[in-house]
Amino acid sequence: MIEKDFNTSYKPSWCPGCGNFGIFIALKNALVELNIKPENVLLVAGVGCSGNGVNFLKAYGWHSLHGRALPTAVGAKLANKDLTVIVMAGDGDGYGEGMAHFIHAVRGNTNITYITHDNQLYALTTGQAAPTTDKGTQTKSTPGGLIEEKANPITLALSSGGSFVARGFSGDATHLKELLKKAILHQGFSLVDVFQPCVTFNKVNTFKYFFDRLYNLDKKEGYTTNDVLAAYKEAMVWGDKIAYGLFYEDKRPSYDKYLPQLNGPALVKRPMKVRNIEQLLKEFA
Amino acid sequence: MENKKNNLTWKIGGEAGFGIKSAGMMFGKIFMRAGYEVFDYTEYPSIIRGGHNTYQLLVDTRPVNSINKKIDILVALNQNTIEQNFSELNVGGVLIYDSDKAKILPAKLAKAQITGLGIPLTTLAKEAGGEVMRNVMSLGASLALIGQSLDIANKIVKENFSRKGEVVVTNNIKALKIGFDFVTANFKGQFMCQLLTRPANNNILITANEALALGAVAGGLNFYAAYPMTPSSTILHYLAKIADKTGIVVKHAEDEISVANMALGASHVGARAMIGTSGGGFSLMTETLGLVGLTETPLVMVDVQRPGPATGLPTWTEQGDLQFMLHAAQGDFPRIIMAPGDATEAYQMGHQALNWADMYQLPVIILSDKLIAEGNTTIPKFDTKNIKINRGKILTVEQLRKIKEYRRYKVVPDGISPRTLPGMANGFFIANSDEHDPYGFSNEDSQNRIEQVDKRYRKLEQFAKTMSQPLVYGNPKAKKTVVFWGSNKGVILDSYVNLPDKIKSKLRIMQYQYLWPFPAEFTKHILNNSKEILLIENNSNAQLGNLIAQETGIVIKNKLLKYDGRPFFREDIISALKNF
């Protein structure tokens, strides 16, 4: 299998230089290297520039409603555990409209991979403030500067019981590919929040902005990924320096492991027959 | 005993926490086991402790699916029950009350011609092991009054309390006997309302929520998601309880938005999925309803109605969501809407809906309401003889191999394009919330848009060819027509049976089980051949009436509408039918 096996006939509609390209290259290569066939991938996308990507990656696709990608993916994975379920959402999509789903999906720890395309604004709707936009930023919807504090997906995931919490950068596709491979292999909910500069609408958080600030946690001496408090500390660093890489990981069982009815073949691979309800009727007799 | 009757209505009242519902349920089961038909009705506020709760049971020798406003026996566990419900007693009725907690003036009893049986339930229950057993003790008292033995009651009490341990069982059986003996010793012969006997039968006592769930379980349901909302929650509770032994994934998600999307994800990969809620939750599911329509993913959505708008009357009943179900979500897309009239129909629709969702690849909405959803009724035990599973057009891997270029949304004559499931080689497609081309790719072309919209609607035309027409009861040639849908079936048919023959022969009664696509031709045929039409609905706006007017141009002027949160009582319907 090669990267091209994941291409579709649809021409990408992203702007030249868009950070989304780096994410897609990393994802396709991660899938190739993990030897996962396109037909066994369910790509669940949200609505936004990231969501449009569902047209450009050959796999089974689900283009959900704005903010609703995560619950769709959770349902799909519970019904067919044999699929590799990957969710793509933007920061506006996933942390605005979909914030509640995000917290609960982290809590539930279903075995899916959540890749957020975090460009710190709404791009497809032409550049309004997102939950991850820095306070004070002037946008079309916040001409006087954004009043709210920015949301921090990493600390939110950590405080919700995240079992795999990571940050990637689309300007470092090789690192991102390795991170995505780990995330896909992780048996539980994995968050990979990816900085993905919007070259058209975000003139602040550019590729250069991140190249100047990012430091790689994976290479930080003495840093271990099993210490949640250390992870918090790194996740709170924001300014001249910003960390990326794997913040935290643990091995708590995924949601399905608690359901005895999901032992054995995937739910949808069992023969579907009319059920005998004689035993069940006894309680009503 | 003389004056044996065909039916009687028993009611128990007290605060939430007194065990009103559990006592009532046991009482209902006792009569079911003895061969009687019963129907129960609860009134309770949306609180956990205090307030005023009642449980009302109609026991009959004939099938019954409704209640009377007037009652024969009232069990008052507190003074408030006497204040609230005494006036409902029929002349010749009996008031059983806890004389430690409540009192009533002899003059008041005499004036209303009611027999008062004061029993020191609190004192006696404490002696038997706990005040909480006042409810069970009152059952024993009621049974003595009606002339039933304790044989069946002892068994039911044992079954009901066995999970709480032997001591609780023994004490409750003791309480039952104390109540029974007290009435036998002190009041024997004072109550003339005894029941005709019935042979035992093969009935079950069940609500429409449980029946619907069981229908779906029999029909292959393997994924159910919900967020608690009265009066739909007992579907969730029942399915959650049996989930692991039936192999069903039951998910209580964070909100109804998540519920709908989880179920859709499960259905997309091949599960048989259903979700349940009430109107408020359905409001949150509305955006997903459109997605179901556009992606052509099978999904069964259950709305158990309660009075809205907003939080409304959470624990009461109404049929106020029909127009909402018809119009929910933006844009044009096909849907099927059906409304069970009772638990038997709910069972049937439970498996029918799953098949139709699969066969026509669209949302199927089941519209129930609190009256039947929480009301227990005796009905013949369900069987699965007539159930077949039809998953519609799902391609096999072998079939896919022979297809050169698979197109999920291929424009086909019947509109139903064969599906594939993720995991199948060469079956790729995008289930897309954007308008899409036959492959599922986003597409904004004009011609494609028209073809896809029309293709989706052709599925409904296919379904309409096979769907059942409204049911007609009574004299099919009569010129007076009563029109209704949903849970009013019980009260209308039960009242009809009790009418004099000369009134009955002039009536025909039409029930809409399947409301969308609307059976316009059949409706026109019946209503244009009627001299008078009476529409009966449990809402303020005559929502079915408006639908009939929209689809046929026929405006029904004569309407019996009720929207105070209460169901129609037999008295309401009998008077309406007599004056019709």
Side-chain angles (χ1 to χ4, degrees):
Chain A
M1 225 164 30
I2 54 170
E3 187 199 322
K4 255 173 48 190
D5 292 334
F6 283 95
N7 288 346
T8 68
S9 58
Y10 204 96
K11 189 170 169 284
S13 53
W14 292 323
C15 306
C18 174
N20 282 335
F21 285 106
I23 300 178
F24 265 62
I25 291 166
L27 176 61
K28 287 177 194 173
N29 283 301
L31 291 166
V32 168
E33 288 180 22
L34 291 173
N35 202 23
I36 297 170
K37 287 184 181 157
E39 64 257 33
N40 290 326
V41 175
L42 177 63
L43 181 69
V44 182
V47 168
C49 288
S50 62
N52 283 344
V54 76
N55 294 295
F56 330 140
L57 189 137
K58 188 169 170 185
Y60 277 90
W62 179 275
H63 195 183
S64 83
L65 296 168
H66 192 55
R68 315 304 175 207
L70 273 179
T72 317
V74 168
K77 182 70 182 184
L78 290 176
N80 188 351
K81 62 182 174 185
D82 297 342
L83 295 171
T84 297
V85 178
I86 294 166
V87 186
M88 292 274 184
D91 51 310
D93 178 35
Y95 303 138
E97 198 98 41
M99 182 63 108
H101 304 313
F102 167 56
I103 300 296
H104 295 288
V106 173
R107 287 177 53 225
N109 201 34
T110 303
N111 186 11
I112 59 178
T113 302
Y114 189 34
I115 306 170
T116 51
H117 297 222
D118 188 351
N119 56 17
Q120 296 173 262
L121 50 65
Y122 287 77
L124 191 60
T125 52
T126 68
Q128 300 85 353
T132 47
T133 304
D134 286 310
K135 182 173 181 156
T137 305
Q138 290 181 319
T139 72
K140 284 180 183 167
S141 60
T142 57
L146 178 66
I147 296 166
E148 291 97 329
E149 292 293 332
K150 78 191 269 352
N152 185 334
I154 303 299
T155 55
L156 282 166
L158 289 170
S159 62
S160 306
S163 64
F164 186 102
V165 183
R167 183 185 276 155
F169 174 43
S170 74
D172 187 352
T174 311
H175 171 263
L176 184 56
K177 178 195 73 183
E178 292 304 322
L179 195 57
L180 290 177
K181 278 164 68 180
K182 270 191 206 163
I184 291 166
L185 291 174
H186 176 71
Q187 297 294 303
F189 185 90
S190 36
L191 167 70
V192 185
D193 183 72
V194 185
F195 288 138
Q196 167 260 313
C198 172
V199 293
T200 303
F201 295 108
N202 195 333
K203 304 300 181 199
V204 179
N205 310 106
T206 59
F207 278 102
K208 182 170 184 318
Y209 173 94
F210 287 109
F211 280 127
D212 289 347
R213 288 167 173 78
L214 287 178
Y215 63 95
N216 189 342
L217 267 187
D218 308 345
K219 291 180 182 158
K220 185 173 174 176
E221 208 169 323
Y223 189 79
T224 55
T225 57
N226 60 3
D227 180 347
V228 76
L229 292 179
Y232 264 106
K233 212 171 156 195
E234 292 292 350
M236 290 303 287
V237 176
W238 191 270
D240 293 343
K241 292 283 170 202
I242 300 171
Y244 78 123
L246 179 57
F247 286 77
Y248 180 75
E249 156 180 51
D250 67 32
K251 302 255 181 275
R252 76 180 172 103
S254 56
Y255 189 92
D256 56 296
K257 296 286 188 292
Y258 291 96
L259 297 178
Q261 61 268 50
L262 286 182
N263 285 337
L267 198 65
V268 298
K269 293 189 177 165
R270 302 170 193 181
M272 187 174 285
K273 302 183 286 204
V274 174
R275 280 200 193 84
N276 186 336
I277 57 169
E278 273 299 309
Q279 281 299 320
L280 296 173
L281 285 169
K282 282 188 177 160
E283 100 176 69
F284 302 101
Chain B
M1 296 294 269
E2 323 80 80
N3 289 342
K4 290 205 171 176
K5 293 178 44 157
N6 272 316
N7 61 67
L8 71 83
T9 296
W10 175 89
K11 186 169 191 164
I12 182 168
E15 285 182 22
F18 282 7
I20 301 295
K21 176 96 192 258
S22 73
M25 285 288 296
M26 284 187 274
F27 206 58
K29 218 157 195 188
I30 291 165
F31 283 96
M32 178 198 69
R33 291 263 180 96
Y36 295 98
E37 306 277 351
V38 305
F39 184 77
D40 74 14
Y41 169 66
T42 52
E43 289 188 351
Y44 59 102
S46 184
I47 53 176
I48 299 299
R49 285 284 180 270
H52 181 54
N53 285 24
T54 63
Y55 175 98
Q56 184 168 332
L57 185 79
L58 178 55
V59 184
D60 209 310
T61 55
R62 296 161 302 188
V64 52
N65 273 298
S66 58
I67 49 159
N68 292 303
K69 176 119 187 99
K70 297 296 260 183
I71 60 180
D72 300 302
I73 301 174
L74 176 64
V75 178
L77 295 184
N78 60 2
Q79 187 67 37
N80 192 30
T81 304
I82 299 180
E83 312 300 334
Q84 302 265 344
N85 305 108
F86 181 78
S87 63
E88 295 166 13
L89 278 163
N90 278 315
V91 168
V94 178
L95 169 71
I96 297 175
Y97 61 100
D98 183 348
S99 55
D100 294 327
K101 297 266 163 99
K103 55 181 188 293
I104 185 162
L105 293 172
K108 190 175 177 185
L109 288 165
K111 192 180 167 207
Q113 299 177 51
I114 305 294
T115 308
L117 305 188
I119 307 174
L121 289 172
T122 304
T123 310
L124 293 173
K126 277 182 184 161
E127 282 169 24
E131 189 178 336
V132 69
M133 295 188 298
R134 292 193 303 149
N135 61 348
V136 171
M137 194 169 281
S138 76
L139 298 187
S142 302
L143 288 167
L145 203 61
I146 304 168
Q148 301 285 311
S149 81
L150 283 183
D151 299 349
I152 298 172
N154 284 333
K155 279 186 209 148
I156 301 283
V157 164
K158 192 173 171 190
E159 287 169 21
N160 193 63
F161 292 108
S162 60
R163 70 197 152 83
K164 292 188 175 174
E166 194 132 332
V167 177
V168 177
V169 171
T170 314
N171 285 348
N172 275 284
I173 287 179
K174 202 161 52 173
L176 200 59
K177 186 165 186 322
I178 292 169
F180 189 91
D181 290 347
F182 192 92
V183 168
T184 311
N186 296 293
F187 304 108
K188 196 163 175 66
Q190 290 194 26
F191 185 57
M192 306 305 283
C193 186
Q194 305 224 334
L195 284 167
L196 291 162
T197 50
R198 282 255 304 178
N201 53 39
N202 203 22
N203 279 350
I204 53 173
L205 183 65
I206 197 164
T207 64
N209 269 358
E210 291 154 338
L212 194 158
L214 272 170
V217 169
L221 177 79
N222 55 11
F223 195 97
Y224 183 78
Y227 182 88
M229 186 167 188
T230 305
S232 67
S233 303
T234 52
I235 302 176
L236 171 63
H237 301 166
Y238 179 65
L239 288 172
K241 185 171 76 176
I242 64 167
D244 53 354
K245 65 179 161 197
T246 47
I248 299 173
V249 171
V250 176
K251 183 79 176 81
H252 166 178
E254 66 269 20
D255 56 37
E256 288 88 346
I257 298 172
S258 187
V259 163
N261 287 287
M262 274 187 195
L264 207 47
S267 174
H268 177 61
V269 302
R272 278 212 134 167
M274 182 166 91
I275 56 180
T277 185
S278 189
F282 203 96
S283 297
L284 295 189
M285 294 172 175
T286 298
E287 71 166 5
T288 314
L289 173 63
L291 183 63
V292 181
L294 193 64
T295 58
E296 304 190 48
T297 311
L299 188 65
V300 176
M301 306 171 81
V302 181
D303 172 18
V304 185
Q305 300 163 96
R306 72 190 210 191
T311 310
L313 297 170
T315 57
W316 300 79
T317 199
E318 197 163 283
Q319 298 181 297
D321 295 354
L322 173 57
Q323 290 288 342
F324 176 37
M325 293 303 119
L326 287 162
H327 301 291
Q330 72 273 29
D332 292 325
F333 62 93
R335 68 191 82 192
I336 294 171
I337 302 174
M338 54 174 112
D342 54 31
T344 306
E345 291 180 14
Y347 174 74
Q348 181 194 330
M349 289 181 183
H351 55 80
Q352 214 168 42
L354 289 169
N355 275 349
W356 290 347
D358 267 344
M359 289 162 67
Y360 299 97
Q361 302 176 8
L362 43 64
V364 178
I365 297 169
I366 302 179
L367 200 45
S368 175
D369 64 44
K370 185 257 175 183
L371 175 66
I372 53 172
E374 293 192 351
N376 286 279
T377 182
T378 40
I379 44 175
K381 196 168 99 174
F382 300 135
D383 65 49
T384 54
K385 279 203 295 270
N386 298 319
I387 302 182
K388 287 195 176 68
I389 289 177
N390 187 335
R391 301 238 49 198
K393 296 184 192 171
I394 301 179
L395 294 173
T396 62
V397 176
E398 289 67 39
Q399 287 170 321
L400 257 178
R401 218 172 273 142
K402 292 176 200 147
I403 295 173
K404 199 166 170 220
E405 238 185 2
Y406 172 66
R407 280 167 291 170
R408 166 68 183 92
Y409 302 104
K410 188 177 174 183
V411 177
V412 290
D414 67 1
I416 309 167
S417 329
R419 296 169 71 195
T420 56
L421 304 176
M424 293 179 174
N426 301 319
F428 295 103
F429 73 99
I430 300 165
N432 201 333
S433 69
D434 283 271
E435 184 60 273
H436 40 258
D437 67 12
Y439 297 93
F441 288 126
S442 301
N443 187 307
E444 298 178 0
D445 174 64
S446 138
Q447 187 59 30
N448 175 71
R449 163 69 175 177
I450 293 166
E451 283 174 8
Q452 287 295 321
V453 172
D454 291 349
K455 174 194 112 65
R456 291 191 286 266
Y457 266 106
R458 284 201 297 278
K459 300 186 296 186
L460 202 63
E461 290 164 19
Q462 285 300 311
F463 172 72
K465 286 179 196 163
T466 66
M467 73 184 275
S468 303
Q469 299 301 314
L471 299 172
V472 177
Y473 308 91
N475 175 4
K477 298 223 171 352
K479 296 293 177 199
K480 284 184 177 182
T481 307
V482 176
V483 177
F484 78 93
W485 63 285
S487 68
N488 287 331
K489 178 184 180 184
V491 72
I492 292 173
L493 295 187
D494 286 356
S495 303
Y496 173 82
V497 171
N498 286 304
L499 289 173
D501 284 342
K502 69 173 195 316
I503 296 181
K504 275 206 279 200
S505 65
K506 289 181 184 151
L507 288 181
R508 65 177 162 184
I509 299 169
M510 177 159 59
Q511 178 195 3
Y512 287 85
Q513 290 178 302
Y514 304 101
L515 290 145
W516 195 261
F518 188 75
E521 291 311 311
F522 187 89
T523 302
K524 280 190 232 168
H525 172 72
I526 295 284
L527 297 188
N528 285 334
N529 287 297
S530 301
K531 286 211 173 85
E532 288 174 73
I533 308 164
L534 172 63
L535 174 72
I536 302 178
E537 290 190 68
N538 220 194
N539 59 48
S540 75
N541 248 5
Q543 299 196 6
L544 172 61
N546 292 337
L547 177 60
I548 291 172
Q550 172 193 307
E551 295 297 311
T552 66
I554 300 168
V555 176
I556 303 174
K557 294 202 180 75
N558 193 4
K559 292 175 278 207
L560 180 63
L561 305 173
K562 190 170 182 180
Y563 45 93
D564 59 356
R566 278 73 180 163
F568 285 105
F569 298 104
R570 284 191 188 182
E571 290 89 336
D572 301 326
I573 301 296
I574 288 173
S575 130
L577 296 184
K578 278 183 177 166
N579 296 323
F580 175 34

